[in-house]
């Protein structure tokens, strides 16, 4: 069965000091670190596009994991900030990496729910077409679309990228996926000329829907809190992560990972960024992943270390 | 059914981390002056909405900034 073997991560070196930056809005440093949860925001170079971030993530992968370019038969890029409207960014990544002609490439246009959707899509696509080794990239640099004067968005988002190796004989395999959309909220997070976010509407959606979705999936799979090693939620903000934790009534709060303080909300990269590290801990056998945001869209799944599977 | 000041105070204490009951004595004091930040305010309004079925619209937010104003707003829409 197809699953995740390895995840590599890339963060740009440039860091914006969020406490310094937020002074113009009169925000207390404690609000920035303890509620928003972002001390430093990462920023890519302006000249770099999403495909470049994918390449940087792949360069990290080459140092961490043995992989032959000639074996890659599937390449998917999750982004809503493609290099161009066309062609698809994964085609540009194909060129930049020198992937084989037999490799299927396509993009998935989703934001913060994108990694969970991306996992389901690439797994299904590869299994349906007997493909063996795929790369799932996430690269969605919001710095290209942020209004730097909008305090609702500029303090939150950071740039980064990840690449997941998806193949048979993997460490982690997928259980069930659960998805949802509420298109009535499409205007709550939208990029027309610059990114606009109705923070209150997005918060309300997240607080109301996501705990219910997680509970529902866990019930379907007959899982309790004790069965989950780590809850890896999209890092919308610390307040969002804390609110979901509270509404889920998680008793062991160490199980809910919070990690964005040094880099910000990485959009579809936020879940794999954390998963990359948590997968390496042999004590972690089962993860619950939940991504949610722009659309309004959400996706939840459970990932299990292979030895647990029946 | 109506929302009482006491219930609003309970919700405020539930959704904030640093306030005590003694901080909530003046029902005409603004949430901001009580030390409630914008995120906590969102949580308070969401809890009120979930319990009483009354949503404070974005347009009305500015006029619902005290315990008294919130009580009046909710009760006039029940």
């Amino acid at each position: 069965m197809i699953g995740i073997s390895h995840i590599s991560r890339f963060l740009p070196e440039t860091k914006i000091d969020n406490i310094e930056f937020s002074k113009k809005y009169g925000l207390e440093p404690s609000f920035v670190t303890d509620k928003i949860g972002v001390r430093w925001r990462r920023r890519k170079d302006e000249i770099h596009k999403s495909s470049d971030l994918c390449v940087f993530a792949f360069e990290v992968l080459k140092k961490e994991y043995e992989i032959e370019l000639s074996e890659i038969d599937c390449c998917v890029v999750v982004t809503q900030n493609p290099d161009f409207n066309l062609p698809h960014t994964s085609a540009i990544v194909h060129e930049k990496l020198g992937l084989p002609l037999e490799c299927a490439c396509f993009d998935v246009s989703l934001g913060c729910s994108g990694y969970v959707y991306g996992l389901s899509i690439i797994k299904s696509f590869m299994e349906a077409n007997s493909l063996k080794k795929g790369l799932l990239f996430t690269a969605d640099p919001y710095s290209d679309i942020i209004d730097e004067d909008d305090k609702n968005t500029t303090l939150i988002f950071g740039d980064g990228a990840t690449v997941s190796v998806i193949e048979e004989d993997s460490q982690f395999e997928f259980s069930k996926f659960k998805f949802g959309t509420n298109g009535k909220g499409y205007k709550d997070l939208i990029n027309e000329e610059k990114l606009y976010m109705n923070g209150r509407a997005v918060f309300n959606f997240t607080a109301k829907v996501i705990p219910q979705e997680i509970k529902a999936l866990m019930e379907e799979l007959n899982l309790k809190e004790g069965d989950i090693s780590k809850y890896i939620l999209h890092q919308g903000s610390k307040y969002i992560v804390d609110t979901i934790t509270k509404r889920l009534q998680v008793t062991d709060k160490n199980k809910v990972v919070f990690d964005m303080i040094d880099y910000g909300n990485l959009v579809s990269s936020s879940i794999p960024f954390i998963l990359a590290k948590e997968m390496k801990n042999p004590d972690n056998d089962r993860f619950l992943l939940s991504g949610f945001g722009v659309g309004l869209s959400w996706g939840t799944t459970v990932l299990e270390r292979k030895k647990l599977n029946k | 059914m109506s929302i009482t000041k006491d219930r609003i105070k309970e919700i405020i204490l539930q959704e904030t981390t640093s306030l005590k009951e003694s901080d909530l004595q003046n029902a005409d004091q603004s949430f901001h002056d009580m030390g409630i930040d914008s995120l906590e305010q969102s949580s308070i309004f969401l809890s009120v909405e979930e319990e009483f079925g009354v949503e404070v619209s974005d347009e009305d937010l500015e006029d619902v900034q005290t315990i008294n104003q919130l009580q009046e707003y909710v009760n006039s829409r029940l």
Side-chain angles (χ1 to χ4, degrees):
Chain A
M1 198 194 287
I2 296 277
I4 307 178
S5 289
H6 185 87
I7 305 174
S8 290
R9 347 184 279 181
F10 167 76
L11 284 178
E13 284 184 10
T14 302
K15 290 182 177 189
I16 310 281
D17 183 338
N18 231 18
I19 288 180
E20 201 52 43
F21 191 93
S22 67
K23 283 180 180 170
K24 66 180 179 180
Y25 301 118
L27 294 175
E28 291 293 326
S30 59
F31 183 84
V32 174
T33 53
D34 301 347
K35 291 285 174 72
I36 299 175
V38 182
R39 176 72 178 85
W40 303 95
R41 282 178 285 131
R42 299 297 179 119
R43 280 293 179 269
K44 66 173 181 66
D45 287 351
E46 271 188 38
I47 56 164
H48 291 143
K49 294 181 183 290
S50 294
S51 64
D52 297 306
L53 301 190
C54 292
V55 169
F56 299 149
F58 188 80
E59 284 168 0
V60 175
L61 178 66
K62 278 194 307 187
K63 294 177 192 167
E64 297 177 348
Y65 192 76
E66 213 171 294
I67 190 156
E68 290 292 331
L69 284 172
S70 59
E71 293 177 335
I72 296 166
D73 48 20
C74 186
C75 170
V76 177
V77 174
V78 179
T79 190
Q80 289 187 313
N81 283 287
D83 287 21
F84 307 102
N85 282 339
L86 64 148
H88 41 302
T89 299
S90 48
I92 302 171
V93 171
H94 181 282
E95 191 275 329
K96 288 183 176 176
L97 295 184
L99 294 176
L101 294 178
E102 297 75 22
C103 181
C105 292
F106 57 93
D107 293 358
V108 171
S109 176
L110 282 165
C112 306
S113 64
Y115 187 67
V116 176
Y117 272 83
L119 287 176
S120 178
I121 292 167
I122 196 171
K123 164 186 154 36
S124 307
F125 184 81
M126 288 177 67
E127 285 176 350
N129 297 286
S130 303
L131 302 178
K132 303 289 180 223
K133 197 184 290 276
L135 300 177
L136 176 65
F137 290 94
T138 58
D140 213 350
Y142 271 30
S143 61
D144 284 343
I145 58 172
I146 288 274
D147 176 353
E148 291 287 347
D149 292 324
D150 181 359
K151 79 170 179 183
N152 288 323
T153 52
T154 194
L155 298 172
I156 297 175
F157 294 100
D159 296 335
T162 70
V163 56
S164 302
V165 179
I166 309 291
E167 59 188 350
E168 292 174 330
D169 297 329
S170 57
Q171 283 192 70
F172 282 90
E173 290 174 356
F174 311 107
S175 179
K176 194 172 162 41
F177 288 84
K178 198 165 168 53
F179 304 105
T181 306
N182 184 356
K184 287 184 180 166
Y186 83 88
K187 288 184 184 174
D188 292 331
L189 244 177
I190 189 165
N191 176 31
E192 293 180 282
E193 290 174 33
K194 286 286 181 187
L195 184 72
Y196 163 77
M197 181 170 75
N198 181 333
R200 187 179 164 220
V202 174
F203 168 77
N204 283 353
F205 141 67
T206 305
K208 284 197 263 196
V209 171
I210 304 310
Q212 298 304 324
E213 282 290 294
I214 291 172
K215 281 180 193 167
L217 182 62
M218 286 177 68
E219 270 171 33
E220 279 181 57
L221 296 173
N222 203 24
L223 295 173
K224 303 273 185 292
E225 181 185 321
D227 299 314
I228 305 292
S229 306
K230 294 287 183 188
Y231 295 84
I232 301 179
L233 309 176
H234 166 60
Q235 309 279 284
S237 69
K238 184 166 193 302
Y239 197 71
I240 290 271
V241 173
D242 288 346
T243 298
I244 295 172
T245 305
K246 185 172 155 185
R247 284 176 169 243
L248 272 178
Q249 297 170 306
V250 176
T251 53
D252 181 357
K253 292 184 174 38
N254 291 324
K255 287 195 174 193
V256 184
V257 182
F258 171 71
D259 193 60
M260 67 192 293
I261 193 86
D262 186 50
Y263 49 81
N265 176 340
L266 302 181
V267 195
S268 50
S269 296
S270 76
I271 290 174
F273 200 85
I274 294 171
L275 186 57
K277 186 172 89 170
E278 296 292 339
M279 276 169 63
K280 293 176 184 166
N281 182 341
D283 294 334
N284 290 336
D285 287 327
R286 188 182 278 117
F287 299 106
L288 184 133
L289 314 181
S290 190
F292 41 86
V294 57
L296 300 165
S297 169
W298 59 95
T300 304
T301 189
V302 168
L303 207 56
E304 295 181 347
R305 195 179 288 276
K306 206 167 173 189
K307 65 177 168 61
L308 282 186
N309 291 348
K310 298 181 185 59
Chain B
M1 184 195 195
S2 64
I3 190 169
T4 63
K5 286 188 186 42
D6 282 345
R7 184 63 193 130
I8 293 174
K9 289 178 187 178
E10 282 168 6
I11 291 172
I12 290 174
L13 292 173
Q14 184 182 294
E15 300 298 345
T16 56
T17 47
S18 57
L19 294 182
K20 304 179 293 296
E21 193 160 345
S22 56
D23 298 320
L24 307 180
Q25 295 313 302
N26 182 355
D28 287 315
Q29 188 180 21
S30 74
F31 296 137
H32 177 267
D33 288 346
M34 283 179 184
I36 297 172
D37 64 44
S38 57
L39 293 171
E40 289 168 335
Q41 204 174 129
S42 293
S43 289
I44 290 163
F45 287 157
L46 180 60
S47 290
V48 167
E49 179 191 329
E50 288 177 323
E51 187 170 335
F52 294 92
V54 174
E55 182 186 347
V56 179
S57 68
D58 287 346
E59 294 74 29
D60 292 337
L61 217 51
E62 224 172 69
D63 299 323
V64 187
Q65 290 297 308
T66 69
I67 291 172
N68 275 337
Q69 286 171 346
L70 180 55
Q71 183 186 30
E72 192 188 320
Y73 188 92
V74 172
N75 286 339
S76 67
R77 285 160 176 78
L78 284 172

